[in-house]
Amino acid sequence: MASQDWFDKDFYKVLGVDKGVSAADLKKTYRKLARQYHPDSNPGDAKAEAKFKEISEAYAVLNDPEQREEYDQIRAMGSGARFSAPGAGGGGGFDDVFSRFGQQRGSASAPGGGFEDFFSMFDQQGGGFGSGRFGQTTGGYRGFGGPQRGADVTARTTLDFVTAAKGETITLQGEDGVPFKVKIPAGVADGQKIRLRGRGRPSPDGGENGDIVVTVAVRPHPVFSREGLNLRLTVPVTFTEAALGATIEVPTLGGEPVRLRVAPGTPSGRVLRVKGRGIHSSKGTGDLLAEVQVAVPQHLSDEAREALERFHALEPKENPRADLMAKARQ
């Protein structure tokens, strides 16, 4: 910030607060404005980014009691003052400002006071403004100034398939050893991260808390698998059920079985759909997909074998692999 800005900028007005605002209300106001104008919330918006820099700069000064006192003193004594170029009409410029500053902080010519005290705010580190002083960034939002955000706390949990599908509140322990409760939403998927905002480590300088980030692993189910919000399973049927047709029962996840009609001549691999019996989540509800698989009997009685041989003699003589062979020669 150029020197003249110390007199020109009204940080209280930038934040929309009174001069007597408390530290707690100042922080509350800053956090609200920071969320509103943060570049992550306004991608590509140059005006919002400029506003964010402005409010971060104002908060960095007013949140520090010593800086705020110095700022108030400078604003009070510099009201209406302007810097003038050397030799421009004599008088005015720096003289008007520093003469009054010297009256409050010691004579301008006295060792250890006046100009030295004033300039120490500008040049404690050889350019810019001194450590922790006016205009310095604190490593917060994207380096624009303002308080730093607290660090995130990470945790992992492994859920069974039903708990992940239905949702549940569980207790975990973070990497820092502190237990906490987390609500697992219905339909959480394997590898998904759940972010608990503001429940991580506190900021070192009055900024926002970090988050707790929980990574979820889901154990496989012996019957069901997921395809987005749909549940899928394989349903064995007998040869006669597939050939002649049948009504069969199919399990659902954590609920009562449903009855499905297998049409006559149903081949292996055909998928039967049950609407609304998949995963229920805030994003919607999936279906249950039952893939038919014809089960071949492993053991036949003499009577069953004779019956199949009679069927074989009567079945159509079409070769079911003829089309496959023709395509393979192409």
Side-chain angles (χ1 to χ4, degrees):
M1 186 195 305
S3 303
Q4 184 64 60
D5 290 343
W6 286 44
F7 301 95
D8 291 342
K9 287 195 175 182
D10 187 340
F11 290 142
Y12 294 102
K13 185 176 181 181
V14 167
L15 295 173
V17 297
D18 296 327
K19 188 175 180 180
V21 65
S22 66
D25 288 341
L26 182 70
K27 181 188 294 186
K28 182 178 180 181
T29 300
Y30 168 72
R31 285 182 174 180
K32 180 180 179 180
L33 292 172
R35 284 193 295 268
Q36 180 181 352
Y37 292 103
H38 194 286
D40 288 347
S41 302
N42 304 274
D45 189 335
K47 290 184 178 179
E49 183 171 325
K51 180 67 174 179
F52 181 80
K53 291 180 182 180
E54 189 178 21
I55 62 177
S56 295
E57 177 186 38
Y59 181 73
V61 174
L62 299 183
N63 187 51
D64 184 292
E66 185 178 349
Q67 290 189 65
R68 182 172 176 176
E69 180 181 0
E70 291 172 346
Y71 172 74
D72 289 343
Q73 291 176 355
I74 293 169
R75 286 281 296 178
M77 73 179 179
S79 178
R82 290 292 182 270
F83 294 113
S84 57
F94 283 99
D95 295 338
D96 290 345
V97 177
F98 289 120
S99 62
R100 285 193 286 172
F101 188 85
Q103 292 171 10
Q104 296 182 28
R105 298 283 295 270
S107 170
S109 60
F115 287 110
E116 289 81 0
D117 290 344
F118 187 80
F119 282 116
S120 66
M121 290 190 294
F122 287 86
D123 200 22
Q124 291 179 4
Q125 294 184 345
F129 308 108
S131 175
R133 314 302 296 166
F134 239 155
Q136 180 192 13
T137 63
T138 62
Y141 297 102
R142 292 193 174 187
F144 293 145
Q148 297 182 38
R149 181 178 176 276
D152 291 342
V153 174
T154 60
R156 300 183 64 87
T157 186
T158 300
L159 307 174
D160 63 78
F161 195 90
V162 175
T163 298
K166 302 295 185 181
E168 187 176 291
T169 298
I170 62 175
T171 300
L172 298 177
Q173 183 169 294
E175 60 184 9
D176 53 3
V178 178
F180 62 92
K181 290 186 179 294
V182 55
K183 183 177 181 180
I184 303 296
V188 66
D190 183 58
Q192 185 172 332
K193 288 181 170 58
I194 299 173
R195 184 175 293 272
L196 308 178
R197 297 197 177 276
R199 292 174 60 181
R201 291 194 176 94
S203 165
D205 54 1
E208 294 183 352
N209 291 347
D211 302 334
I212 295 178
V213 182
V214 180
T215 301
V216 176
V218 180
R219 298 187 190 96
H221 194 279
V223 172
F224 299 96
S225 61
R226 280 189 63 169
E227 294 181 356
L229 293 179
N230 294 329
L231 288 174
R232 193 179 188 98
L233 78 160
T234 300
V235 182
V237 296
T238 66
F239 171 74
T240 53
E241 287 174 332
L244 302 178
T247 298
I248 62 173
E249 282 194 340
V250 175
T252 61
L253 187 66
E256 295 296 321
V258 294
R259 295 174 66 84
L260 288 180
R261 175 64 183 169
V262 178
T266 295
S268 281
R270 178 170 293 177
V271 176
L272 308 178
R273 183 182 295 268
V274 184
K275 288 284 188 180
R277 299 307 292 265
I279 297 292
H280 298 268
S281 76
S282 60
K283 297 180 180 179
T285 300
D287 301 332
L288 179 65
L289 308 178
E291 181 179 339
V292 172
Q293 183 180 74
V294 177
V296 178
Q298 300 296 309
H299 304 285
L300 294 174
S301 66
D302 291 341
E303 292 82 358
R305 183 178 296 278
E306 290 175 2
L308 278 177
E309 288 174 349
R310 289 195 300 272
F311 170 77
H312 178 63
L314 297 173
E315 70 178 338
K317 300 305 179 184
E318 299 174 355
N319 182 357
R321 294 171 294 280
D323 188 50
L324 177 67
M325 296 300 181
K327 291 181 179 179
R329 297 188 189 100
Q330 293 179 358

